[in-house]
Amino acid sequence: MISIAPLSSEPWGTLPGGDPVRLFTLRNAHGMKVSVSDLGATLVSWHAPDRAGRLGDILLGHDTPAQYMAATTYMGGLIGRWANRIADARFTLDGIEYTLDRNEGANLLHGGTHGFHRTVWDVSEDHGALVMRLESPEGDAGFPGNVTVQVRYTLDDDGTLTIAYEGMTDAATPLNLTSHPYFNLTGRRGADIRGHVLSIDADRFFEVDASMIPCELAEVAGNAFDFRQSAPIGARLDWPHAQLARAGGFDHCYVLRGTTEAATAERELQVRQAACAYDPGSGRELTVSTDQRGLQFYTGNSLNGDIGRGSIAYQPHAGLCLEAGGFPNEVNMTEQEQVIVRPGNTYRQTTQYRVGIRSGL
């Protein structure tokens, strides 16, 4: 049962144009607190206890709204209308070709230059939950249809942050949302995630081409991408593998078990555990559960001196992302209809991040 978590808010600076930004904080009965900004519906910080009860911030982030607007790392942002990449920033839907905002070479990445993570959302409270709402107009980044998105954040006393998404449109359009928090379970500024131990419930992943667009499905068995049994991330980063060399680490979408096209056509998927990350030093454990088919595992390869909270310069592998959603470039795949929302239908997604303590070392 979800307990009603206290919710507070406070001013949190302004945007370069002078518009005010606020910070909202959810708390549970055990001292855990998660702060979310109305700028980008962004997960700004998450203070969680280690095995000795000491609170530490397990998210990478910035100190001010202006720094979030200037950054290109999407830290903690709510990503839309399209999470991840669309090849050549174009797709065809119902016989019409649409050209999108090219913001990563020839591709669209994470909703384009002015994606949802750079927009101030409307905010309300509902029985202790934080509810954020955004109107995305026809032509936003080149996408068709006027889209309304709502995201609901709740924090349970067992350390579960539930992110429930909904989206509606007045014209057929692709919609693929995700949250982009960078986790570092050590809670220490300047530490990396090489010592984290990870498991992912997937037998296959998408290999990528030179533009980081999925090119073919591959089996995880027998190579660095096999996290079906828990394995240390640092050791896997050091494995010789052409895909790791291409991305500078992990930046690949895993196909979660039980999510074949035939299975999803028969029924809606239920929320189930997809991944688990553990930091032996602090004892903190992160469990990711979702009803989505894809999970993007990213090891912060593009962090290269980006200035974060407390003037820390984040280096590669300072944080890890586990982003649930559809597949990258799925709008250009044969199963395109899986990511199309049509008038009268509602896009729904639920992803849960649970942070707790694992007993033992």
Side-chain angles (χ1 to χ4, degrees), residues 5-354:
L7 175 63
S8 62
S9 70
E10 60 185 310
W12 191 50
T14 59
L15 298 179
D19 292 334
V21 176
R22 295 191 69 82
L23 197 65
F24 301 82
T25 300
L26 291 159
R27 293 175 172 84
N28 72 8
H30 304 293
M32 182 179 287
K33 58 182 182 179
V34 177
S35 294
V36 187
S37 174
D38 56 357
L39 173 60
T42 296
L43 290 170
V44 174
S45 65
W46 187 335
H47 288 84
D50 62 10
R51 64 165 56 91
R54 296 178 296 247
L55 288 176
D57 192 351
I58 60 171
L59 294 184
L60 306 191
H62 303 288
D63 286 321
T64 67
Q67 289 175 326
Y68 277 93
M69 289 295 289
T72 59
T73 52
Y74 306 92
M75 282 187 184
L78 197 292
I79 306 300
R81 292 186 188 187
W82 187 270
N84 219 294
R85 296 171 174 87
I86 294 179
D88 202 28
R90 65 178 64 242
F91 66 93
T92 299
L93 176 60
D94 297 336
I96 301 173
E97 183 174 271
Y98 295 91
T99 301
L100 308 174
D101 178 18
R102 293 182 173 184
N103 67 317
E104 188 196 49
N107 303 324
L108 174 133
L109 174 64
H110 290 333
T113 305
H114 303 288
F116 289 1
H117 65 292
R118 292 182 180 273
T119 305
V120 176
W121 294 54
D122 295 327
V123 180
S124 61
E125 180 182 358
D126 181 24
H127 296 88
L130 177 64
V131 180
M132 295 194 169
R133 183 182 175 91
L134 181 67
E135 303 284 343
S136 176
E138 170 93 25
D140 195 358
F143 288 98
N146 296 291
V147 169
T148 300
V149 171
Q150 178 178 289
V151 183
R152 181 185 180 96
Y153 298 91
T154 55
L155 180 62
D156 196 347
D157 283 342
D158 73 352
T160 299
L161 178 70
T162 299
I163 309 175
Y165 309 73
E166 290 187 357
M168 300 184 69
T169 180
D170 62 3
T173 191
L175 196 59
N176 178 32
L177 308 178
T178 198
S179 185
H180 204 301
Y182 288 69
F183 288 95
N184 187 315
L185 300 177
T186 68
R188 302 195 313 271
R189 293 178 179 177
D192 62 37
I193 47 85
R194 293 180 62 90
H196 287 42
V197 178
L198 178 70
S199 63
I200 301 176
D201 190 25
D203 301 311
R204 298 179 297 165
F205 74 101
F206 283 99
E207 292 188 339
V208 295
D209 64 17
S211 297
M212 299 301 295
I213 298 296
C215 53
E216 62 179 305
L217 277 171
E219 300 291 327
V220 302
N223 62 64
F225 288 81
D226 191 351
F227 287 97
R228 292 174 296 180
Q229 300 294 322
S230 296
I233 293 174
R236 292 299 177 84
L237 283 168
D238 294 335
W239 277 33
H241 195 292
Q243 285 288 305
L244 293 179
R246 173 165 287 171
F250 293 94
D251 190 6
H252 297 77
C253 183
Y254 283 75
V255 181
L256 297 173
R257 286 175 175 166
T259 60
T260 64
E261 187 174 353
T264 55
E266 293 173 1
R267 59 178 174 80
E268 290 188 6
L269 292 168
Q270 302 299 309
V271 175
R272 75 281 184 211
Q273 184 170 320
C276 182
Y278 171 60
D279 171 46
S282 68
R284 295 186 183 96
E285 181 178 64
L286 169 69
T287 302
V288 184
S289 301
T290 186
D291 57 7
Q292 296 297 285
R293 298 185 300 144
L295 188 74
Q296 186 82 11
F297 172 40
Y298 176 54
T299 48
N301 316 318
S302 297
L303 299 175
N304 190 19
D306 301 83
I307 301 302
R309 199 153 26 241
S311 299
I312 289 292
Y314 292 132
Q315 301 302 325
H317 313 144
L320 66 89
C321 303
L322 294 164
E323 307 158 62
F327 304 144
N329 199 40
E330 190 170 0
V331 71
N332 287 312
M333 297 180 182
T334 56
E335 61 267 31
Q336 178 196 61
E337 194 62 27
Q338 297 270 7
V339 292
I340 302 301
V341 180
R342 297 184 180 275
N345 296 332
T346 301
Y347 170 95
R348 289 188 174 89
Q349 188 215 131
T350 299
T351 294
Q352 297 176 326
Y353 294 103
R354 181 181 183 276

